[in-house]
Amino acid sequence: MPGDTSFDGTGGPASGSGGAAGPSAGSEGTARGGRPGRRALILVENLSVPFDRRVWQEATTLRDAGWEVHVVCPRGEKRDTEAEAVVDGVRIHRYPLRAATGGPAGYLREYGAALWHTARLARKVGPVDVVHACNPPDLLFLPALWLKRRGARFVFDQHDLVPELYLSRFDRGEDLLHRAVCALERLTYRAADIVLATNESYRDVAVRRGGRRPEDVFVVRSAPRTDRFQPVPPEPELKRGKPHLLCYLGVMGPQDGVDYALRALAKLRDELGRSDWHAVFIGSGDAFDAMVELSGRLGLGAQVEFTGRIPDGDLLRHLSTADVCLSPDPRNPLNDVSTMNKVLEYMAMARPVVSFDLREARVSAGEAALYAPANDERAFAELIAVLLDDPGLRARMGKIGQERVGGELSWRNSQVALLAAYAAACRPRPRATATRAPRARKRQRS
């Protein structure tokens, strides 16, 4: 799920500072497997909350199970801007953070600032029963350890494999910084009482590379809330006079493949002779400006529209009108084993998907997607053409995807796994048997 951790480009849950659906902070509900009034602190650096959909769903699941939930996260730029807010009974503490620029050195500055603010706000929250740290980065084990020494249990929620993210994003090979991020991941695994993995591939890494016991690693898959992803009547005017609409939803970072999608669309037009489509790219990210520029260089300006982040209602209008949705994440060490939230969101909206052939993409989408050979832009374009020409196939694939998201991939199953993980984290620690070392006999002087 790299860089794909939210209902991207959209409004998300209401972010007012009051009101509570469900138990309010400090309620006396009983967490399953726990005692009344337990407190959880969720630490996030990558996105603001509730914009980070996975974190928000976890927080509200815990709230509904009777936990008092606090979240420490950065402020958003256009939303989630208050320093402190109570949203639907979850208390959120936010800090100012400037996004990284300028390569690895920029990330070091960003993470240093985030770590300082996180520690400051965690101290303000005070004692908790569980500290729940979401990566990236793999630095949040430091404030988690401070809380753990004061009695908290540490749940590590591994959103991304940071060593693979580093290799995929910076193309610097296994250099000194790569060895450093590997060491930080090992320290995080070692410090955690329980690990949450987003899929079976990540679980395997936690067991094999992290040395964790299988019973201490729980798969909590990200999944869209189907009550939010409800199709609305299509609006043909969004197609800008073309017969078909193509849609991309998600973050636009260097590893997200928007450049692959744009080059595939150029081949769809120039090599396959198809101009019967309009494409909309929804979302933002640090590659946004570069992608707009690339679209212009490819001569796609008249057929490709970049909306940036848009409200939920506008997103649902576009997805409900789309004929084909795009998941162009290229195969690399990270993407091959990561779950892409956009794929699940397309499926929730009963949209057929074109994807590169990635291991976890097949696990998520199954027969709801067509798969081009890894990073083959011409083949990607050809599969788009196949779907444009076959409305019956599009409908069948959309139905398959919607059924999967409403069934085996639903958030209901993830809620059960999350609460089981918390119950495991809070189980009594076995008492260490104190044995007195035998007293050493005094040596007799000769």
Side-chain angles (χ1 to χ4, degrees):
M1 21 182 282
D4 204 22
T5 52
S6 70
F7 190 0
D8 266 296
T10 69
S15 57
S17 58
S24 64
S27 75
E28 289 301 312
T30 302
R32 295 179 200 175
R35 64 178 184 272
R38 283 198 158 175
R39 305 178 84 224
L41 171 61
I42 302 178
L43 309 179
V44 193
E45 192 277 344
N46 199 37
L47 287 172
S48 64
V49 175
F51 182 67
D52 188 318
R53 177 178 54 74
R54 174 183 172 89
V55 173
W56 183 245
Q57 289 178 214
E58 290 174 330
T60 54
T61 294
L62 293 168
R63 175 208 64 197
D64 291 343
W67 288 76
E68 176 186 331
V69 183
H70 294 254
V71 179
V72 169
C73 66
R75 295 181 193 170
E77 292 184 1
K78 295 183 180 179
R79 51 163 298 165
D80 301 339
T81 56
E82 306 95 334
E84 188 164 325
V86 178
V87 184
D88 294 346
V90 176
R91 185 169 292 278
I92 306 172
H93 312 263
R94 303 191 184 106
Y95 54 85
L97 187 65
R98 180 177 299 177
T101 57
Y107 282 91
L108 290 175
R109 289 191 294 271
E110 174 188 331
Y111 293 158
L115 198 60
W116 184 84
H117 284 296
T118 298
R120 173 179 63 83
L121 291 173
R123 290 173 69 92
K124 176 182 175 182
V125 171
V128 295
D129 295 281
V130 171
V131 54
H132 176 152
C134 308
N135 83 336
D138 286 339
L139 287 168
L140 296 178
F141 76 95
L142 293 169
L145 275 178
W146 181 80
L147 289 164
K148 190 173 179 180
R149 292 192 185 101
R150 285 152 180 80
R153 305 296 174 86
F154 174 24
V155 173
F156 172 40
D157 193 349
Q158 191 164 28
H159 292 189
D160 286 321
L161 301 177
V162 175
E164 284 79 0
L165 176 61
Y166 179 85
L167 292 174
S168 302
R169 189 177 183 93
F170 295 114
D171 196 25
R172 293 164 59 102
E174 297 182 0
D175 61 359
L176 180 62
L177 278 176
H178 178 262
R179 292 195 291 274
V181 297
C182 289
L184 291 171
E185 181 189 69
R186 287 194 299 272
L187 291 169
T188 303
Y189 279 136
R190 189 179 305 166
D193 295 294
I194 294 294
V195 176
L196 306 184
T198 58
N199 57 41
E200 291 292 342
S201 295
Y202 277 33
R203 182 179 187 273
D204 179 65
V205 171
V207 172
R208 174 179 45 82
R209 189 164 79 196
R212 299 310 310 244
R213 299 186 307 165
E215 58 267 32
D216 291 335
V217 184
F218 293 76
V219 176
V220 179
R221 296 185 64 93
S222 297
R225 276 177 44 191
T226 53
D227 60 332
R228 285 180 62 204
F229 283 84
Q230 290 293 324
V232 299
E235 299 183 20
E237 59 269 23
L238 296 176
K239 300 183 179 184
R240 301 293 190 264
K242 299 290 186 177
H244 303 293
L245 180 67
L246 312 177
C247 192
Y248 171 91
L249 163 66
V251 171
M252 300 184 191
Q255 75 276 13
D256 294 306
V258 176
D259 52 338
Y260 284 81
L262 291 172
R263 290 190 293 267
L265 293 180
K267 294 179 186 297
L268 179 65
R269 180 197 60 192
D270 299 336
E271 299 179 16
L272 302 181
R274 301 294 296 262
S275 59
D276 56 342
W277 51 269
H278 180 72
V280 176
F281 285 74
I282 301 169
S284 189
D286 53 9
F288 180 88
D289 292 339
M291 294 303 100
V292 173
E293 182 183 352
L294 175 61
S295 176
R297 291 203 309 270
L298 293 171
L300 293 170
Q303 281 187 268
V304 172
E305 177 184 355
F306 290 85
T307 66
R309 293 174 175 171
I310 60 177
D312 285 4
D314 291 339
L315 173 68
L316 296 178
R317 291 169 52 236
H318 281 88
L319 289 180
S320 297
T321 306
D323 297 286
V324 179
C325 287
L326 310 179
S327 182
D329 307 83
R331 180 182 291 172
N332 58 38
L334 180 67
N335 290 345
D336 196 40
V337 296
S338 297
T339 300
M340 304 302 170
N341 284 340
K342 58 178 167 283
V343 171
L344 298 168
E345 292 163 350
Y346 298 155
M347 292 162 61
M349 294 292 291
R351 300 299 94 184
V353 182
V354 175
S355 170
F356 287 123
D357 195 358
L358 308 179
R359 185 195 319 175
E360 282 295 332
R362 283 190 176 272
V363 171
S364 295
E367 296 180 4
L370 299 182
Y371 303 94
N375 306 354
D376 186 333
E377 295 161 357
R378 165 79 186 214
F380 197 95
E382 290 171 347
L383 292 181
I384 294 173
V386 166
L387 287 175
L388 294 182
D389 290 336
D390 194 335
L393 177 60
R394 297 199 305 267
R396 289 193 298 275
M397 290 171 61
K399 183 179 180 182
I400 290 170
Q402 196 170 48
E403 289 175 349
R404 285 175 63 79
V405 169
E408 61 185 292
L409 302 180
S410 73
W411 179 247
R412 293 188 304 274
N413 295 331
S414 296
Q415 287 178 308
V416 172
L418 175 65
L419 295 176
Y422 264 63
C426 294
R427 63 194 170 206
R429 291 191 177 105
R431 291 188 177 184
T433 303
T435 57
R436 183 174 294 177
R439 186 176 297 176
R441 296 177 61 187
K442 291 184 179 179
R443 295 178 60 186
Q444 294 184 353
R445 296 186 182 181
S446 56

